[in-house]
Amino acid sequence: MRPILHKTIRSCSDMSYNHLLVSRGKQAENTSIHLGSTIIGGGQPAMIAGPCSVESYEQLRSVASLLKKTSVNVLRGGAFKPRTSPYDFQGLGLDGLKLLKEVADEFDLITISEIVDPRHLELAGDYIDVIQIGARNMHNFELLKEAGRLSTPILLKRGLSATLDEFLHAAEYILYGGNKNVMLIERGIRTYERATRNTLDISAVPLLKLETHLSVLVDVTHSTGRKEIMAPCAKAALAAGADGVMVEVHPNPAAALSDSAQQLDFEQFEAFYNEVKRSGLLSPAASAGITIS
Ligand code: PEP
Ligand code: MN
């Protein structure tokens, strides 16, 4: 197979990814990951949604009951928050994971939460279904190695300034450790552009899909930071071949303890969900639409 990334980025045509465990050379067919009734990478793109941070039982419960009106059955929520400032809300930690478990059990949902410390990886498996490794930790090789020792699915975010080559090699660390259950998620990269929070690299989707059998998702919240363009960006991601999209939703974004400017409220989520659903690009199960109010 042609080394697409290297050819484009490094102009080095004799290099290939085919020796890597993440590559299509090693495995031609897509790796699909079963998350309850949602299969990521199985050809039916999915939506993942939830608040930026787990803040309280009531907050999480209200988001969970919103998701139950949709076909979304994967709930995200940060408990260990990697914040730019030490004075900002750092997350509820283990208590946040416990709340995720409580609400997931109550509503029969699958949960995703970020783990930042290798010492918490094993413990996390008792409370959540998918471990997120965030953008700031994509280069944390010790964390990647430890994640490789688990069988828990890992959602690996693209680093803030990571090339696709670095992204694929970060995933390779996890597979090399023995954990094949890895999903990649593009979340925007740093460029000179200030109109969006980060620059959503849509080209990453088809390029990664060409090179790797791992599923590729797009986080429209942290990439754009702009509520008014999240739906078109989600549709663009799905049209480009993404296996799913992730979006943040909060019952009262103005009062949110993190990312208050970019989380959708319930009405905005309804509009987002319905617009993406109407595109026909989500899985058929998602094609019924919702009315919240
Ligand atoms: C998140 O998804 O909660 C998050 C912190 O995102 P990122 O690592 O992409 O900044
Ligand atoms: Mn966030």
Side-chain angles (χ1 to χ4, degrees):
M1 190 196 288
R2 254 183 150 191
I4 295 138
L5 295 183
H6 283 112
K7 182 173 181 289
T8 311
I9 297 166
R10 291 182 175 170
S11 303
C12 179
S13 58
D14 58 351
M15 289 182 73
S16 164
Y17 286 99
N18 285 343
H19 63 291
L20 296 184
L21 298 169
V22 298
S23 74
R24 293 235 181 245
K26 281 274 189 263
Q27 180 186 311
E29 67 280 6
N30 293 333
T31 290
S32 54
I33 296 185
H34 290 243
L35 303 177
S37 56
T38 297
I39 303 171
I40 306 281
Q44 310 256 297
M47 192 183 288
I48 297 168
C52 182
S53 296
V54 176
E55 297 174 7
S56 67
Y57 172 73
E58 292 70 28
Q59 172 235 21
L60 205 55
R61 194 181 189 286
S62 71
V63 175
S65 60
L66 168 72
L67 298 188
K68 285 314 263 190
K69 296 178 183 159
T70 73
S71 63
V72 179
N73 77 335
V74 187
L75 170 68
R76 62 142 289 143
F80 294 94
K81 296 300 296 178
R83 305 304 302 282
T84 301
S85 167
Y87 303 110
D88 288 338
F89 177 59
Q90 301 289 307
L92 298 180
L94 182 57
D95 287 343
L97 298 188
K98 289 180 179 168
L99 287 176
L100 278 164
K101 175 151 178 53
E102 189 178 346
V103 169
D105 287 348
E106 191 178 339
F107 288 86
D108 191 23
L109 291 167
I110 298 291
T111 52
I112 299 185
S113 198
E114 178 166 357
I115 297 298
V116 297
D117 186 329
R119 291 170 300 183
H120 295 149
L121 283 172
E122 238 166 87
L123 173 82
D126 294 341
Y127 299 101
I128 54 174
D129 302 295
V130 179
I131 291 171
Q132 179 170 308
I133 295 185
R136 287 153 196 81
N137 271 319
M138 190 213 81
H139 286 294
N140 183 341
F141 300 112
E142 296 310 314
L143 185 64
L144 299 174
K145 284 180 201 168
E146 287 301 316
R149 297 157 70 96
L150 309 172
S151 56
T152 313
I154 307 290
L155 180 65
L156 178 65
K157 295 196 120 188
R158 183 177 182 181
L160 304 179
S161 304
T163 63
L164 298 181
D165 179 74
E166 290 166 332
F167 194 15
L168 283 174
H169 278 91
E172 184 73 8
Y173 266 91
I174 306 173
L175 270 74
Y176 179 66
N179 187 352
K180 287 189 65 187
N181 301 317
V182 177
M183 296 166 278
L184 305 176
I185 182 161
E186 156 68 27
R187 48 78 71 206
I189 47 173
R190 284 196 167 164
T191 70
Y192 52 79
E193 181 56 65
R194 298 268 63 87
T196 49
R197 178 170 169 174
N198 290 288
T199 295
L200 172 56
D201 180 8
I202 285 288
S203 67
V205 175
L207 282 171
L208 289 169
K209 294 291 292 180
L210 283 167
E211 292 289 1
T212 180
H213 52 84
L214 301 177
S215 51
V216 179
L217 296 96
V218 168
D219 173 344
V220 294
T221 299
H222 297 95
S223 52
T224 69
R226 299 280 299 260
K227 297 182 187 192
E228 69 275 39
I229 61 166
M230 285 175 192
C233 287
K235 290 189 285 183
L238 296 170
D243 296 293
V245 291
M246 184 157 93
V247 67
E248 285 184 351
V249 54
H250 189 287
N252 181 10
L257 298 178
S258 59
D259 283 351
S260 84
Q262 65 190 38
Q263 299 197 63
L264 301 177
D265 65 24
F266 286 6
E267 210 172 298
Q268 291 162 337
F269 177 79
E270 177 186 346
F272 171 86
Y273 177 83
N274 286 338
E275 185 175 339
V276 177
K277 174 268 305 169
R278 263 184 232 114
S279 71
L281 294 161
L282 275 179
S283 71
S287 61
I290 53 163
T291 308
I292 294 166
S293 44

